[in-house]
Amino acid sequence: MSKENTPPQKITVSLPKDWAAGVPAVISAYKNVGTKVGAIKGSKLLLEANQKQGFDCPGCAWPDPLGHRATFEFCENGAKAIADEATRKRADAEFFAQYNIEQLKAESDRWLNDQGRLVEPLFLDQSSEHYRPISWEAAFELIADELNALNSADEAAFYTSGRTSNEAAFLYQLFVRAFGTNNLPDCSNMCHESSGVGLKESIGVGKGTVTLEDLHHSKAIFIFGQNPGSNHPRMLSALQKAKRNGATIITINPLDETGSKRFKNPQEIEGVIGAGTALRNLHLPVKINGDVALLTGLCKYLLEQDELNGNVLDHDFIASYCYNFDAFKQQIQASDWQAIETVSGINKAQIIQAAELYMQADSAICCWAMGMTQHKNAVANIQMMTNFLMLRGNLGKPGAGVCPVRGHSNVQGDRTMGIWERPSQALLDAIEQEFHFQPPQHHGVDAVQCADDMLSGKIKVFFAMGGNFYSAMPDNQRVGQGLSNCSLTVQVSTKLNRSHLYHGKRALILPALGRTEIDTQASGIQIVTVENSMGVVQTSYGKIPPASEHLKSEVAIIAELADKVFATRGTSNNTIPWLSFKQDYRHIRDHIAKVIPGFEDFNQRIEKEGEFQLPNAVRDARRFDTATGKANFTCHDIEPIDVPEGCFILMTLRSHDQFNTTIYTDNDRYRGIHGTRKVLFINKHDIASLNLKAGDRVDITSHWQDEPDRTITGFQLVEYAIPQGSVGAYYPETNDLITLGSKADKSNTPAYKSVVVSLRKSL
């Protein structure tokens, strides 16, 4: 049913919840699978999620316990992702004959997703308004012809989302580099790129350094810019275990999120009929982009107390393992408390309270998500957290370290497999030795540069292995224009999304198997592997029949396309047996074992145990593979955003009923929003200063020095406990307020969390 014929949903705003999960989460989980999949089939599917002989949940990258697994290793939002993929609904040829592109553009993201699974390859010609079926053979031939007609391999870009398995990711980057380019933008460019850049410079490892056991036994956990209750709900169980083991939990976020307050574990009696477990000991409602100032204050107090008492810092660790401490100390000591309080929005007494809790703990972890990585100074955020940990030696010891929490289920594994526009020389050399061709040596484009190059006409073919590039990126109008400039756009997808509607002169949709589906190839049923947020590689077995006989696995799509491209191209020196990889994924893993460090005896290890932990120099040996050979203290100034009078800083955020750009419903149960996503969270004093009231609708205008202002309309004001001067609204609805030029220093990540805006009552 089209939205025009759907009765309008009642919009209500209630108080935010005081606790997360419990019975409502269980009801929501089973309601989703029951409605979309069927009660019996859906319930059985949930029991296979995150089990050793089951499938890895496509919902997020939170780690599973090593060894023993509980019967229920899924969460409410994981159940939504599973139900969404395993839905009985189908978007077939009849559907695409009914709706043309302009009609589909008029529908909401939620409606598009609700149409069900894609079931056959689809083609859109420049002269047509409808996608129509095309054979796989014709689709591969069309792509091969377009790619081989390019003047340079760099005129194509190959995007990747975080749902791609290790096997598919490795094969994909191999194909792209054999084709001749490093143009491998991926979703990391939009989320945790700042983490990788910041950590690599500071400690030599671009990943987290803790295990799940470390989190369980840490004595202090600082959670920066993260909403685990909605984005990583299984983390709540880990925090509950840490709390019961004596941990102190401090949350730093403009919003005091429900999942950080109290957790009712639905697998316990207390979580069903009791009060649950209080999680955070202290919440610091930092202003948007006030984290560097706050961390400067924390470090300043530690240094002051060490000067007085001499036993606050870990001087042995600093002397043995660290570089540049004196310069860092000098800068922090010279910082001004008034500036710290003004920019962070946190008073000195609160900062001291958090620092004292830290000083009482003999181990500590900093966790974070995109609330820290999507600012102009995002790399500084990550490095200041690392500085904070280094002062007390909280790296490379039990219960301590850095913990960036990834969103998509294999986004970390994709990067490990070589999905990166700036590959290391070691990776390129290993590929050359194993496959006997020289990969391109120059860097490729990241996501932002890819969009710019499509706009300028430098990139003519855009190929996306999953994801929703158009909606995920900022500056939607310009991204859409860039995509329309391409001669061909290709989307490998499971469901319909807005990226299918903003396309090149010709466009293809190639339907892929989902994580839950059985993958049968010539040698039998295949398994794939993924890597979670804490560096554990584990197997994933599909469990249900494919949604259509016409679906292909991502591995099969890459292998058949590569075979067609190089056969058409007639490259005499390319002897890679592409089709053999499709027939048996063990062949891919044999090559991964020789190319990617830490994957030695890959097949044997997963066949024996089903999982293994990748090595981590910082965690395992307190070895810091940086330019100095040590953990580097880095200096960062407090640089407040210039906010004109009457303006605010906007951050984008996700609701409880969405996963990345996938919208399940228009509700956000924990924040008290029902029936709409067009809301703006704002402090009650700021509402009064505008002579408005809660419930009024406003137009939001973003302001830029070198580009025109952008305006989006009709957002309902919601009074919320958020610092004055800060406002929040849902992603991706607000993405078009953000320019492609607004991005993080060094990492180039779009600055979705630091947008200067003004508000005006809607007419």
Side-chain angles (χ1 to χ4, degrees):
M1 180 184 290
S2 175
K3 68 180 182 182
E4 284 80 4
N5 300 318
T6 303
Q9 187 172 355
K10 182 180 179 182
I11 297 173
T12 61
V13 177
S14 58
L15 292 175
K17 300 295 183 184
D18 291 324
W19 49 267
V23 173
V26 176
I27 294 172
S28 172
Y30 282 96
K31 180 180 178 182
N32 270 275
V33 296
T35 301
K36 294 184 177 181
V37 186
I40 296 174
K41 180 181 176 182
S43 297
K44 289 180 178 179
L45 199 56
L46 289 182
L47 294 177
E48 298 282 4
N50 300 314
Q51 300 297 328
K52 278 198 171 184
Q53 298 296 315
F55 61 90
D56 183 68
C57 176
C60 78
W62 188 252
D64 305 313
L66 282 170
H68 174 72
R69 306 279 170 84
T71 302
F72 304 101
E73 285 288 356
F74 62 89
C75 66
E76 175 190 357
N77 283 10
K80 292 173 188 173
I82 292 165
D84 199 61
E85 179 175 286
T87 179
R88 292 170 293 193
K89 295 183 73 174
R90 302 288 182 262
D92 54 16
E94 183 180 346
F95 168 83
F96 286 100
Q98 179 181 357
Y99 292 98
N100 65 34
I101 294 297
E102 292 306 314
Q103 288 173 318
L104 292 172
K105 283 181 178 179
E107 303 291 352
S108 69
D109 290 343
R110 175 189 172 189
W111 187 91
L112 294 174
N113 179 68
D114 280 347
Q115 302 318 300
R117 289 290 299 275
L118 298 162
V119 294
E120 59 189 320
L122 299 162
F123 173 61
L124 181 69
D125 199 296
Q126 191 170 8
S127 60
S128 176
E129 297 180 348
H130 293 262
Y131 276 102
R132 59 177 174 79
I134 186 175
S135 71
W136 279 103
E137 178 66 22
F140 288 142
E141 186 172 341
L142 190 159
I143 301 168
D145 288 346
E146 285 279 354
L147 290 176
N148 288 329
L150 297 174
N151 294 319
S152 164
D154 289 332
E155 291 181 339
F158 299 85
Y159 177 74
T160 321
S161 83
R163 58 147 285 167
T164 308
S165 68
N166 287 328
E167 290 75 12
F170 183 82
L171 199 63
Y172 191 52
Q173 64 83 31
L174 182 66
F175 160 59
V176 172
R177 292 191 165 109
F179 181 67
T181 184
N182 283 314
N183 284 351
L184 282 160
D186 75 327
C187 59
S188 286
N189 298 150
M190 292 180 252
C191 55
H192 269 288
E193 195 70 58
S194 302
S195 298
V197 171
L199 292 175
K200 192 70 176 174
E201 288 184 355
S202 289
I203 61 174
V205 173
K207 304 179 181 182
T209 66
V210 301
T211 66
L212 196 54
E213 281 299 303
D214 286 325
L215 197 69
H216 291 163
H217 297 287
S218 181
K219 295 308 176 187
I221 302 171
F222 286 75
I223 303 174
F224 287 85
Q226 185 189 357
N227 177 14
S230 290
N231 296 330
H232 315 93
R234 286 200 299 152
M235 183 178 177
L236 300 183
S237 298
L239 293 175
Q240 180 189 53
K241 185 172 288 189
K243 188 74 175 179
R244 290 174 174 175
N245 287 334
T248 296
I249 299 174
I250 299 96
T251 58
I252 300 94
N253 197 314
L255 303 179
D256 190 5
E257 300 287 14
T258 297
S260 303
K261 298 176 186 177
R262 181 175 293 273
F263 172 50
K264 291 190 176 184
N265 191 333
Q267 298 191 48
E268 300 176 347
I269 293 296
E270 186 183 355
V272 176
I273 62 175
T277 304
L279 295 179
R280 58 144 170 81
N281 298 76
L282 176 66
H283 174 67
L284 300 180
V286 66
K287 287 182 179 178
I288 294 173
N289 200 46
D291 301 283
V292 166
L294 173 62
L295 283 156
T296 297
L298 291 169
C299 293
K300 184 177 179 68
Y301 184 74
L302 295 176
L303 289 167
E304 289 174 351
Q305 292 305 298
D306 191 72
E307 291 285 327
L308 292 173
N309 303 317
N311 62 352
V312 174
L313 306 188
D314 188 336
H315 291 282
D316 290 341
F317 175 83
I318 292 170
S320 300
Y321 296 103
C322 297
Y323 175 80
N324 203 40
F325 172 69
D326 290 339
F328 173 75
K329 177 180 178 180
Q330 182 177 355
Q331 185 194 40
I332 295 297
Q333 288 178 327
S335 61
D336 177 66
W337 272 112
Q338 184 175 350
I340 290 168
E341 289 182 301
T342 300
V343 177
S344 71
I346 307 298
N347 64 49
K348 184 177 179 180
Q350 291 174 297
I351 294 173
I352 289 174
Q353 184 182 2
E356 289 282 353
L357 292 172
Y358 180 51
M359 288 162 53
Q360 294 164 17
D362 58 14
S363 61
I365 290 172
C366 283
C367 302
W368 70 89
M370 287 180 285
M372 295 295 277
T373 64
Q374 293 179 330
H375 299 276
K376 186 177 187 301
N377 59 348
V379 170
N381 284 339
I382 277 67
Q383 293 184 335
M384 282 299 296
M385 284 187 290
T386 310
N387 291 335
F388 175 62
L389 291 170
M390 287 158 55
L391 286 175
R392 287 181 53 79
N394 280 307
L395 290 173
K397 70 178 186 181
V402 293
C403 183
V405 183
R406 315 281 173 162
H408 226 316
S409 59
N410 196 41
V411 63
Q412 185 159 299
D414 285 355
R415 183 56 57 88
T416 301
M417 291 295 108
I419 300 292
W420 195 23
E421 77 280 357
R422 292 175 289 162
S424 68
Q425 193 59 50
L427 173 65
L428 297 179
D429 290 346
I431 290 172
E432 181 174 4
Q433 181 175 348
E434 180 69 9
F435 294 101
H436 311 296
F437 73 91
Q438 185 178 49
Q441 303 294 298
H442 57 283
H443 288 172
V445 299
D446 62 15
V448 170
Q449 189 62 53
C450 175
D452 281 335
D453 284 0
M454 287 192 292
L455 273 166
S456 67
K458 292 180 182 178
I459 288 177
K460 297 178 171 59
V461 174
F462 178 79
F463 190 107
M465 183 59 64
N468 184 358
F469 185 80
Y470 171 86
S471 290
M473 285 289 285
D475 221 337
N476 293 147
Q477 292 185 36
R478 294 181 68 201
V479 170
Q481 181 183 342
L483 288 165
S484 70
N485 288 346
C486 293
S487 59
L488 176 67
T489 52
V490 184
Q491 306 282 339
V492 178
S493 306
T494 57
K495 302 187 79 178
L496 182 63
N497 65 52
R498 201 157 294 279
S499 289
H500 303 132
L501 313 180
Y502 291 86
H503 50 79
K505 296 175 177 61
R506 294 193 289 178
L508 287 165
I509 301 174
L510 305 182
L513 290 174
R515 187 74 59 77
T516 56
E517 291 171 313
I518 299 168
D519 181 357
T520 305
Q521 303 296 339
S523 64
I525 294 176
Q526 305 297 307
I527 62 170
V528 294
T529 61
V530 296
E531 178 188 348
N532 64 39
S533 277
M534 294 183 181
V536 175
V537 176
Q538 57 202 55
T539 54
S540 182
Y541 299 71
K543 290 296 177 179
I544 59 175
S548 164
E549 62 181 352
H550 301 297
L551 303 186
K552 289 183 181 289
S553 72
E554 290 177 326
V555 166
I557 291 170
I558 299 161
E560 292 182 41
L561 175 60
D563 184 70
K564 177 67 72 173
V565 167
F566 292 113
T568 305
R569 196 181 232 196
T571 306
S572 59
N573 63 352
N574 191 337
T575 58
I576 299 172
W578 299 105
L579 294 183
S580 73
F581 295 143
K582 162 191 146 179
Q583 294 164 3
D584 190 339
Y585 298 176
R586 288 175 295 185
H587 297 329
I588 304 174
R589 290 190 285 271
D590 283 339
H591 288 290
I592 292 173
K594 296 176 183 178
V595 173
I596 308 296
F599 285 81
E600 297 78 12
D601 299 320
F602 192 1
N603 276 310
Q604 294 84 343
R605 291 161 79 186
I606 63 166
E607 288 168 8
K608 182 179 180 182
E609 299 292 339
E611 61 190 4
F612 60 89
Q613 182 93 46
L614 289 173
N616 185 295
V618 174
R619 182 194 68 224
D620 301 338
R622 270 194 169 175
R623 190 180 79 243
F624 302 96
D625 296 329
T626 63
T628 64
K630 295 193 172 187
N632 295 313
F633 278 97
T634 54
C635 299
H636 299 284
D637 294 328
I638 298 172
E639 298 179 343
I641 297 174
D642 182 18
V643 183
E645 186 175 353
C647 289
F648 304 88
I649 303 179
L650 167 76
M651 66 174 181
T652 65
L653 41 84
R654 288 157 177 75
S655 76
H656 188 62
D657 260 4
Q658 78 177 98
F659 173 66
N660 292 342
T661 59
T662 301
I663 312 300
Y664 301 129
T665 76
D666 292 331
N667 303 327
D668 191 347
R669 186 173 80 243
Y670 290 160
R671 296 193 184 107
I673 307 299
H674 302 273
T676 183
R677 291 179 54 81
K678 293 190 70 172
V679 296
L680 185 74
F681 298 101
I682 184 170
N683 187 283
K684 64 180 181 180
H685 298 294
D686 288 330
I687 296 176
S689 73
L690 296 168
N691 294 316
L692 298 172
K693 62 183 184 298
D696 283 347
R697 295 191 179 276
V698 297
D699 300 340
I700 308 172
T701 299
S702 61
H703 303 279
W704 309 97
Q705 288 186 342
D706 302 321
E707 295 205 37
D709 295 346
R710 288 110 186 281
T711 299
I712 54 178
T713 61
F715 281 69
Q716 180 175 325
L717 293 179
V718 174
E719 181 184 310
Y720 212 80
I722 186 172
Q724 283 186 255
S726 299
V727 295
Y730 293 127
Y731 157 108
E733 285 81 358
T734 47
N735 280 10
D736 207 33
L737 289 172
I738 306 161
T739 73
L740 284 172
S742 179
K743 55 196 178 184
D745 298 332
K746 294 186 178 180
S747 71
N748 229 27
T749 297
Y752 299 92
K753 301 289 191 286
S754 298
V755 188
V756 175
V757 299
S758 61
L759 310 177
R760 182 182 63 188
K761 189 171 183 178
S762 298
L763 298 177

